[in-house]
Amino acid sequence: QVQLVESGGGLVSPGESLRLSCRDTGATSRLRATAWFRQAPGQKREALSCINSNDDGTFTAESVRGRFTISRDSVKNTVDLQITNLKPEDTATYYCAVEDRPVVYSCSMRDGLYDYWGQGTQVTVSS
């Protein structure tokens, strides 16, 4: 069973970087399409970036492109989100999610397609 746990969040100053990790603690070996989302208080959930199940295709939202990079670490069994040049508007709870379909060639930014979600990790950017 898929059980996702996010980590790496925290309180940082503007301009700093963070690396968020999403780990499937259910120890499933199959690669799945995975996406990162975030949600700030009072705001809609925002799709950030996704990676396909073949691990050879990614997509990142234009609003964060250039600062957010998604990658998969097959050794650690994590999907990571590297965030650079953090801004106060990046403050939110960050969630990872995976699709249960066995093969996903083009990952999606539609949250309704994702079957499993983590509990989130808080990122706060403040001086």
Side-chain angles (χ1 to χ4, degrees), residues 66-123:
R67 296 194 300 120
F68 287 40
T69 304
I70 193 170
S71 62
R72 191 187 304 274
D73 187 326
S74 298
V75 175
K76 297 179 182 178
N77 193 29
T78 61
V79 173
D80 299 339
L81 186 68
Q82 179 72 37
I83 309 173
T84 60
N85 190 23
L86 277 153
K87 304 176 181 181
E89 52 263 42
D90 293 321
T91 296
T93 301
Y94 285 68
Y95 301 89
C96 66
V98 301
E99 282 197 57
D100 205 24
R101 288 187 291 161
V103 178
V104 176
Y105 294 110
S106 297
C107 61
S108 173
M109 299 286 269
R110 290 174 51 196
D111 56 4
L113 291 181
Y114 288 86
D115 302 290
Y116 301 97
W117 292 77
Q119 294 299 306
T121 185
Q122 177 67 36
V123 173

Side-chain angles (χ1 to χ4, degrees), residues 38 46-48 60-68 87 90:
R38 70 183 177 187
E46 178 185 10
L48 300 171
T60 300
E62 186 175 355
S63 61
V64 297
R65 198 171 295 161
R67 296 194 300 120
F68 287 40
K87 304 176 181 181
D90 293 321

